Amino acid sequence: MTTQFDHWIDGRKVRPEGGEHFPTFDPTRAVPWAELAKGNVADIDRAVESATRAQRAWRRTSPAQRNRLLSAMADLIDREAGRLAELESRDVGKVLRETRSQMRALPTWYRYYASLAFQQDGRVIPHDRASIVNLTTREPYGVIGIIAPFNSPVLLTSMSLAPAIAAGNAVVVKPAETASTSVIRLAELFAEAGLPDGVFNVVTGLGAEAGAALVAHPGIAKVFFTGGVETGRRVAAEAGLHGKPTVLELGGKSANIVLPDAADLRSVANGIVAGIYAAAGQTCVAGSRLLVHSSIADELVDLVAARTEKIILGDPADDRTEMGPLAEPNIVDNVERRVDEAITAGARVRVGGSRLDAPGWFYRPTILTDVVNDMAVAREELFGPVLAVIRFHDDDEAVAIANDSPFGLAAGLWTTNIGRAHRMAAALEAGTVWVNTYRALSYASPFGGRKASGYGRENGLDGFAEVTVTKSLWIETSEESIDDPFILR
Ligand code: NAD
């Protein structure tokens, strides 16, 4: 028996205009578990109309009103964190322990941006002519379109949704076709919190249909896209044709670099394992390349391998499970193909390297040693549980290998030498560098990529700046008459 979900438009559930639903699968059992509304151009039109209407009033609400509402939304997420976590686990196969901890962190995004609603201030800019008053204000864009990926749908949606709403925008979200149910539940919760109808709308459906219609819609002022590189570039090109700005949060092939002076290698090994196998490798910041100094490589790889072999695969709802299935069967196929190719090219399997013989879409946590940086397993984002180990001999070589990548999302450094950490962090082409930790994320710290990993920033003040646009206001205070119309003052 599957559960049916509809769109969320104008503060209520709305059946799809085309009358169709499509199945979404439980990856643990490889069976359909829910049906989502198949959104089309007409559904997007309806959602954007509702958002446009709502935004006219929403942008005029006081900072105090927006602050109160976002705080109420945070309280309801707190209350419903368990249910949201269950929906997400079911949709994407992430272990419940992991989705629960993510949902517990989520309300703070809303509380943080609730506080920034009070700080949407501008500047007074001195002008050569003393009688001129020039000031800037930060205004909401209008209606913002958010296109979300399947991994962490509620958190990743919230990273642009919370600031967008706090700044006075309305939003239409198109979540991933494999992971929409938690985002729909979020919309229901926000309605319960008192968010006015139409400020937040969710249209589910296929990327090429509902997603493309959202990007092309003239009522959408800016698009926040999180997903794969190829899709992101297509979205940015389409948005560009319509003259719209975009923020692109794309993939990565992040290097986790371990220097010979790293502290306790057992603890480093745990950091490496958490960096790659969380969410079965399906995180954009997965530390999928382990760059290790040759002098400690054998010892560290032994430690990482010993922990990896113990990873408990299984049902994400079981509290003992450490890694669930992959979200889609085509990801398993791609991981399998790329691992086999790497083996043919000379890489060696230290751990894993195969599917699990189970009904769901499981692939064993895998370590490949003897990887060369030009192999596909070192260059392409697999979005699966595969760690590619590469040795280096000095700091410059480590930085060169890390930067020899199309991507520039994140990197990790493990060292006890603070000067070395600063020098290497400065040389790494990555939006985020972690030293002696990995995958730390905060509502207050800017997050985003370079190179093929995208552009623009989410979270923190940078994320707030992305949802507003500057207006420069000029006032001539002198009462002198304008004598010469051709002389600019
Ligand atoms: P995807 O690119 O397949 O899909 C992302 C979204 O785009 C989905 O909602 C999809 O329906 C939509 N879409 C597809 N075609 C479209 C089109 N033509 N027009 C408009 N929308 C369209 O990505 P995915 O498989 O869902 O997610 C995995 C990817 O997301 C990975 O590459 C991962 O690294 C990336 N990601 C990046 C970040 C980050 O913040 N940098 C975070 C999480 C995930």
Side-chain angles (χ1 to χ4, degrees):
M1 230 341 236
T2 56
T3 316
Q4 203 170 73
F5 291 81
D6 290 322
H7 303 309
W8 186 270
I9 300 174
D10 210 26
R12 59 185 185 282
K13 291 177 186 165
V14 171
R15 310 268 311 156
E17 289 276 349
E20 282 182 72
H21 286 75
F22 64 99
T24 175
F25 286 76
D26 172 352
T28 310
R29 292 160 194 86
V31 291
W33 85 272
E35 284 183 31
L36 300 175
K38 190 163 176 287
N40 61 16
V41 173
D43 296 307
I44 291 289
D45 278 348
R46 201 162 159 180
V48 177
E49 258 170 48
S50 157
T52 306
R53 233 181 3 256
Q55 201 263 339
R56 283 189 208 115
W58 182 244
R59 67 174 298 167
R60 287 197 299 269
T61 52
S62 68
Q65 281 172 304
R66 273 177 272 135
N67 172 281
R68 212 168 29 245
L69 260 171
L70 268 96
S71 304
M73 286 150 69
D75 290 345
L76 283 192
I77 298 172
D78 257 341
R79 193 195 73 192
E80 288 289 307
R83 177 73 184 131
L84 288 168
E86 274 167 27
L87 286 171
E88 231 158 71
S89 247
R90 195 80 193 271
D91 263 341
V92 292
K94 268 166 82 165
V95 296
L96 201 49
R97 280 200 291 165
E98 209 173 318
T99 50
R100 276 199 202 116
S101 85
Q102 217 170 60
M103 296 308 165
R104 277 197 295 270
L106 187 65
T108 323
W109 259 264
Y110 289 87
R111 296 201 172 101
Y112 173 74
Y113 283 110
S115 75
L116 290 192
F118 288 117
Q119 293 172 51
Q120 205 169 334
D121 45 17
R123 296 162 59 206
V124 179
I125 297 170
H127 191 266
D128 289 346
R129 200 176 147 90
S131 59
I132 290 276
V133 175
N134 178 210
L135 47 92
T136 62
T137 52
R138 303 281 314 170
E139 298 185 348
Y141 271 95
V143 181
I144 281 182
I146 298 177
I147 299 181
F150 73 78
N151 63 318
S152 307
V154 162
L155 174 68
L156 295 171
T157 298
S158 297
M159 280 164 46
S160 33
L161 172 64
I165 291 181
N169 299 282
V171 171
V172 179
V173 178
K174 207 303 279 172
E177 36 278 71
T178 43
S180 297
T181 61
S182 54
V183 182
I184 297 166
R185 180 68 191 128
L186 193 70
E188 290 170 1
L189 286 180
F190 290 171
E192 192 185 332
L195 190 69
D197 296 349
V199 173
F200 177 40
N201 306 275
V202 183
V203 176
T204 56
L206 308 183
E209 191 176 17
L214 182 64
V215 176
H217 197 291
I220 294 292
K222 184 166 182 175
V223 177
F224 286 71
F225 174 88
T226 306
V229 173
E230 211 180 299
T231 326
R233 289 184 176 174
R234 196 171 316 134
V235 162
E238 183 65 24
L241 284 177
H242 294 85
K244 293 177 194 176
T246 46
V247 167
L248 296 186
E249 297 284 4
L250 309 178
K253 192 77 206 178
S254 301
N256 221 341
I257 305 170
V258 187
L259 297 167
D261 60 11
D264 173 20
L265 282 192
R266 192 169 299 275
S267 152
V268 175
N270 281 335
I272 304 295
V273 167
I276 177 63
Y277 301 122
Q282 300 167 114
T283 67
C284 53
V285 294
S288 49
R289 286 186 296 158
L290 168 59
L291 271 49
V292 55
H293 191 271
S294 52
S295 65
I296 52 163
D298 289 343
E299 188 185 351
L300 182 70
V301 172
D302 282 351
L303 288 166
V304 175
R307 183 63 187 90
T308 303
E309 275 161 356
K310 286 200 202 116
I311 291 176
I312 303 168
L313 259 80
D315 186 340
D318 186 332
D319 271 348
R320 284 165 309 176
T321 302
E322 294 178 311
M323 210 180 93
L326 298 175
E328 296 166 10
N330 59 331
I331 305 179
V332 185
D333 293 344
N334 186 49
V335 167
E336 187 171 52
R337 189 172 61 242
R338 290 308 190 202
V339 168
D340 291 350
E341 281 171 12
I343 295 166
T344 307
R348 289 196 302 171
V349 176
R350 173 65 192 262
V351 180
S354 58
R355 294 168 187 253
L356 195 69
D357 189 16
W361 300 319
F362 289 90
Y363 194 89
R364 289 191 168 85
T366 295
I367 300 177
L368 294 177
T369 58
D370 299 0
V371 171
V372 181
N373 201 44
D374 61 7
M375 292 178 183
V377 287
R379 300 201 80 74
E380 290 177 15
E381 181 185 49
L382 301 187
F383 229 51
V386 180
L387 181 67
V389 183
I390 302 173
R391 293 172 185 235
F392 65 83
H393 301 90
D394 60 46
D395 295 6
D396 288 347
E397 189 189 6
V399 170
I401 298 171
N403 287 346
D404 177 17
S405 169
F407 295 104
L409 191 59
L413 278 173
W414 300 83
T415 174
T416 45
N417 181 329
I418 188 72
R420 201 173 192 182
H422 271 292
R423 279 194 305 279
M424 291 183 74
L428 287 167
E429 295 163 358
T432 294
V433 178
W434 290 291
V435 179
N436 297 332
T437 182
Y438 202 83
R439 284 186 72 234
L441 184 73
S442 156
Y443 49 86
S445 182
F447 179 79
R450 289 165 62 171
K451 296 157 72 178
S453 297
Y455 50 78
R457 290 294 177 264
E458 291 183 315
N459 301 338
L461 298 175
D462 298 49
F464 200 53
E466 296 279 8
V467 293
T468 56
V469 61
T470 306
K471 180 175 278 172
S472 182
L473 175 65
W474 296 71
I475 302 166
E476 171 58 77
T477 58
S478 125
E479 288 178 3
E480 275 173 35
S481 57
I482 298 171
D483 294 331
D484 184 346
F486 297 100
I487 301 295
L488 274 181
R489 294 194 296 196

